[in-house]
Amino acid sequence: MLLTLAWGSLFFPGLFALCTWGLRRARPEWTGYDCVMISTRLVSSVQAVLATGSGIVIVCYCKNVVSDRHWLAREYVWFLIPYMVYDTYAMYLCEWYRTREQNRRYFLTIFRNFLSKNRLMITHHMAILLVLVPTAQRLRGDLGDFFVGCIFMAELSTPFVSLGKVLIQLKQQHTLLYKVNGILTLTTFFSCRILLFPFMYWSYGHQQKLSLLQVPSRIPFFCNVANAFLIAPQLYWFSLLCKKAAQLFDTPSAEKDG
């Protein structure tokens, strides 16, 4: 546990510092905010790839979705804790650079802007650290590694979300890459963050010889509540992605009509 925490505490901030340094050297014309923001997205994508890979390994290994165990289900959670702490600071650092470049240097102003713009993501990070980590590491006992692996796989959409934000920052919204990435973002987000929950219910029902509709009444009530809290922000974020996608593909029609 301690060694994994230590590795995570070194890996994510170290990778962020390395990416920022490399971008400043390779692209001296970019602003400090550009370098920091893109580095943050790169680190998020690396974490997502690691989490998704861990999730795939766990899900493929656990034939019994309730009782089978895999060491990654617990070990990667310890590795994830430093990332959540780092990512919160990285979001603040992005806001600090962005605000500084607009000649507003007051700490309280920056901090208020940070809390206002990132309140949902901060709440998400705090929920993971204060609720999901204790649940995954202690409260569930020796059961449910399969479902922990499923939650890890939800990160598959993150690299596409990050690439979209980087392309926006670089003013590349008009490119084919941005449109293709938008489609991949919607597809992976819907598959791995929305359909993931019916899949977990179906997997349990398949093993217990239950229909999908029977599963909610046969599992502990708090499991249904936890899943509801997990899927609610995903539905909200997916609605935002759909709105952005609609605007993107409506633009050519609007220009043509004009």
Side-chain angles (χ1 to χ4, degrees):
M1 178 188 77
L2 293 178
L3 182 60
T4 306
L5 283 170
W7 274 114
S9 299
L10 291 173
F11 178 76
F12 294 113
L15 181 59
F16 171 77
L18 180 62
C19 290
T20 304
W21 174 82
L23 288 174
R24 283 175 173 167
R25 298 263 306 188
R27 292 288 186 270
E29 70 277 11
W30 284 0
T31 66
Y33 173 70
D34 289 336
C35 295
V36 169
M37 191 280 290
I38 293 173
S39 296
T40 301
R41 294 298 170 184
L42 287 171
V43 176
S44 296
S45 298
V46 170
Q47 190 283 135
V49 170
L50 294 175
T52 302
S54 299
I56 292 173
V57 170
I58 295 166
V59 168
C60 292
Y61 181 84
C62 295
K63 305 305 179 184
N64 186 307
V65 302
V66 175
S67 60
D68 279 357
R69 309 293 310 283
H70 194 283
W71 62 271
L72 272 173
R74 290 192 183 277
E75 213 57 33
Y76 193 80
V77 174
W78 295 124
F79 194 65
L80 186 63
I81 291 173
Y83 170 76
M84 290 297 167
V85 177
Y86 144 79
D87 194 49
T88 303
Y89 173 74
M91 287 190 296
Y92 172 76
L93 194 62
C94 286
E95 181 62 24
W96 187 84
Y97 268 94
R98 187 189 69 81
T99 308
R100 190 187 67 168
E101 289 172 4
Q102 295 177 358
N103 296 319
R104 291 185 294 175
R105 300 173 182 271
Y106 295 107
F107 170 78
L108 288 178
T109 301
I110 297 173
F111 191 68
R112 287 196 200 99
N113 289 340
F114 166 67
L115 293 178
S116 175
K117 293 187 175 183
N118 299 283
R119 57 183 178 273
L120 185 57
M121 188 61 69
I122 293 171
T123 302
H124 176 255
H125 281 22
M126 294 301 295
I128 290 176
L129 291 173
L130 300 179
V131 179
L132 291 185
V133 169
T135 300
Q137 300 301 75
R138 300 297 179 193
L139 299 180
R140 69 184 177 90
D142 295 330
L143 304 175
D145 282 12
F146 173 87
F147 301 108
V148 174
C150 289
I151 297 300
F152 288 165
M153 289 170 59
E155 289 293 311
L156 179 61
S157 62
T158 299
F160 302 104
V161 174
S162 295
L163 178 58
K165 291 185 179 297
V166 169
L167 291 173
I168 291 173
Q169 182 63 25
L170 299 178
K171 298 179 173 55
Q172 297 297 309
Q173 300 96 313
H174 62 282
T175 62
L176 177 62
L177 174 61
Y178 182 78
K179 294 183 178 181
V180 172
N181 183 71
I183 294 172
L184 292 174
T185 300
L186 288 173
T187 303
T188 54
F189 198 100
F190 183 72
S191 300
C192 297
R193 296 201 178 214
I194 308 297
L195 293 183
L196 172 73
F197 293 92
F199 170 73
M200 290 193 291
Y201 278 75
W202 175 85
S203 298
Y204 179 83
H206 180 71
Q207 180 173 295
Q208 301 297 325
K209 308 265 191 300
L210 300 170
S211 70
L212 181 62
L213 296 178
Q214 289 176 311
V215 173
S217 62
R218 302 294 182 88
I219 62 177
F221 176 72
F222 74 87
C223 292
N224 293 314
V225 173
N227 284 331
F229 274 106
L230 286 172
I231 197 173
Q234 312 306 328
L235 291 171
Y236 172 73
W237 283 322
F238 184 69
S239 69
L240 295 181
L241 290 173
C242 289
K243 288 178 182 178
K244 289 183 179 179
Q247 292 173 358
L248 172 66
F249 290 101
D250 281 347
T251 300
S253 299
E255 291 177 351
K256 186 176 179 180
D257 293 340

